[in-house]
Amino acid sequence: MSYSIIDYKRLSNLVADQNYAPHYCHAVMGFDGFIDKVVRVCRGRAAEKSNDQPSWYQTLGEFNAYLSGKDGLSFSVELETTEEKKGGNMPITANALGNLGVTVDCIGALGTTLAINPHFSSMSANCILHPIVEPGWCMAFEFSNSKLMVYDNKQINSLNWQTIKDSLGITAIRQIFEKSDLIGLFNWSEVKYSEDIWAGLSMDVFPFLTDSKARNVFIDLSDCTGRKAEEIFGMATCMSEMARTMRVTLSMNENEIRHLHKVLARKPDERAMDSRRIECYTEMLAALTDEIPDVTMVLHLADSSLSIDSSGKKIFVKNHFVEEPRILIGGGDNYNAGFCMGLLGGEQVRECMALAGATSSYYVQHGQSPTPMALSAYLARLEG
């Protein structure tokens, strides 16, 4: 399969244009929220007299080998906190999309109805926060090739459709969704009552929207390996029902597509590890399209993106690979924000993937989400 040719110059000029459509668009996103403590793991300390600097486990495999050798023993591990910040798929995606000029209503675990949690005070000025419950807590172990997130959901486990209705009122909720050009549903996997929330939206909100076919629904399930098979099948059915009246996109990473493929298509995922990696993932996307019809499937990898749209068209876009990432946590969320920007701008899936890849690469390289001008300059340096 060959890469799609992207006109990055056109995209650069488009993003920099103050009249670009997304700058006048609204989105609504929900429903998680976490406080992220990003850490790295100390391997040991140098023995030099004047240099007591630690060395770090570079890969998860190295750290796992160390832990395996300690089975049955009591031992300690030193961590270094590199950052403590707002987290969660919805807040990070919404913040990145807000930085790109889109007004975003954020509903979720952002604090109580009386006070927004201070960790979210740095959200983009374009984000309108609707706190329902306090955020969860996540310790994110960051390695050069992967990330391990250990989380405590805390009050997120009490977040359901009734809680949201009690906090905001059904009239206000319908008004928020009515004015939104894009609906973002994030972290189905880790929000305990996601099924209840999705069912509530499908019953109490979506049927009341005018011109629903003009709206985009963007979904990122997060790591669903902890969910039961029957829950995943129920989620897939709900997604298909959404796609009957709205344009639905499902975004996945490698871990997520493998598990969804294993459950929904009832096939093992080992094939993706061989030399036909891209072809295997394309086959997985096609199989998922059969199981969840009319939904555009997107897979984001470190160096490329794959997609099969609702018409069955296969697309392959090369991303800029960052050799020395400044941060990995949030890279996928920034990818999603760039993709949503493209959807709001009326771009085809191919260009949405290019905008997504550039937004993610900028974030991973610089440690922060881009502004429209920063993204424009970044796009101008890329080659189609």
Side-chain angles (χ1 to χ4, degrees):
M1 182 183 295
S2 60
Y3 288 107
S4 296
I5 302 300
I6 304 297
D7 187 349
Y8 282 106
K9 183 178 180 180
R10 184 186 74 84
L11 292 179
S12 174
N13 293 335
L14 200 63
V15 170
D17 187 347
Q18 293 183 353
N19 295 316
Y20 187 36
H23 300 160
Y24 302 93
C25 288
H26 282 77
V28 57
M29 295 184 169
F31 294 92
D32 68 341
F34 287 87
I35 298 169
D36 282 351
K37 187 170 185 174
V38 184
V39 301
R40 53 182 180 172
V41 187
C42 179
R43 179 196 293 271
R45 291 188 175 273
E48 291 84 353
K49 295 180 181 179
S50 60
N51 182 5
D52 193 33
Q53 296 299 312
S55 60
W56 311 100
Y57 284 102
Q58 295 300 310
T59 68
L60 182 58
E62 292 175 0
F63 184 45
N64 182 55
Y66 172 76
L67 294 177
S68 297
K70 296 293 185 180
D71 187 31
L73 304 176
S74 297
F75 65 103
S76 62
V77 174
E78 180 183 354
L79 304 177
E80 179 187 76
T81 300
T82 60
E83 188 177 9
E84 186 167 306
K85 63 180 183 66
K86 59 181 175 292
N89 297 127
M90 180 274 287
I92 298 177
T93 305
N95 181 68
L97 191 58
N99 281 347
L100 291 172
V102 179
T103 301
V104 188
D105 280 279
C106 309
I107 304 173
L110 305 169
T112 67
T113 53
L114 298 176
I116 295 170
N117 187 287
H119 284 86
F120 299 98
S121 61
S122 62
M123 292 280 285
S124 165
N126 287 323
C127 291
I128 304 166
L129 307 188
H130 304 279
I132 310 298
V133 298
E134 286 289 354
W137 176 89
C138 175
M139 180 171 286
F141 293 76
E142 194 158 66
F143 301 94
S144 63
N145 65 338
S146 57
K147 54 192 176 183
L148 167 65
M149 288 169 284
V150 181
Y151 64 92
D152 180 349
N153 267 1
K154 295 189 176 180
Q155 291 190 40
I156 294 180
N157 284 339
S158 67
L159 181 64
N160 58 27
W161 182 236
Q162 190 62 51
T163 307
I164 295 171
K165 288 197 295 183
D166 290 344
S167 296
L168 300 180
I170 190 60
T171 300
I173 294 171
R174 287 173 181 168
Q175 289 173 345
I176 290 170
F177 278 78
E178 174 63 29
K179 71 181 180 182
S180 296
D181 307 286
L182 182 141
I183 298 166
L185 302 178
F186 295 92
N187 210 343
W188 171 87
S189 301
E190 295 173 358
V191 176
K192 184 177 180 180
Y193 294 110
S194 288
E195 295 95 326
D196 178 64
I197 296 172
W198 284 25
L201 290 171
S202 297
M203 180 179 297
D204 297 337
V205 178
F206 294 162
F208 298 88
L209 299 179
T210 59
D211 195 20
S212 61
K213 287 189 177 296
R215 283 185 171 81
N216 284 288
V217 177
F218 186 89
I219 299 173
D220 188 323
L221 302 172
S222 191
D223 182 1
C224 51
T225 54
R227 287 284 197 158
K228 297 177 182 178
E230 56 264 33
E231 293 173 329
I232 293 176
F233 276 102
M235 171 273 298
T237 299
C238 188
M239 202 182 303
S240 293
E241 291 173 352
M242 290 183 199
R244 293 174 185 170
T245 57
M246 294 177 285
R247 296 177 297 195
V248 179
T249 300
L250 173 62
S251 176
M252 298 166 284
N253 62 22
E254 291 186 80
N255 178 54
E256 292 152 8
I257 190 175
R258 289 183 188 181
H259 191 67
L260 286 177
H261 181 258
K262 180 180 179 180
V263 174
L264 295 176
R266 301 176 180 86
K267 296 178 181 178
D269 62 11
E270 290 82 0
R271 296 177 306 152
M273 302 303 294
D274 64 21
S275 58
R276 294 179 59 250
R277 177 168 170 261
I278 298 301
E279 288 78 6
C280 289
Y281 277 136
T282 303
E283 292 169 7
M284 287 186 182
L285 285 172
L288 289 179
T289 300
D290 292 338
E291 300 299 327
I292 316 177
D294 302 319
V295 172
T296 296
M297 303 284 173
V298 178
L299 171 64
H300 51 91
L301 308 171
D303 60 353
S304 57
S305 303
L306 304 172
S307 176
I308 296 183
D309 65 19
S310 56
S311 69
K313 183 179 180 181
K314 299 175 183 178
I315 306 165
F316 187 27
V317 174
K318 188 174 183 179
N319 298 336
H320 173 63
F321 181 73
V322 179
E323 295 287 349
E324 297 182 2
R326 189 166 181 176
I327 189 172
L328 292 176
I329 307 298
D333 301 316
N334 275 262
Y335 182 97
N336 290 340
F339 199 102
C340 288
M341 184 186 199
L343 289 175
L344 290 170
E347 295 296 323
Q348 298 297 311
V349 172
R350 180 183 63 178
E351 283 70 29
C352 289
M353 293 163 68
L355 286 168
T359 304
S360 178
S361 295
Y362 181 96
Y363 171 83
V364 168
Q365 183 172 334
H366 294 89
Q368 61 184 12
S369 300
T371 63
M373 294 309 297
L375 181 58
S376 174
Y378 199 78
L379 286 163
R381 295 194 296 268
L382 299 180
E383 297 180 358

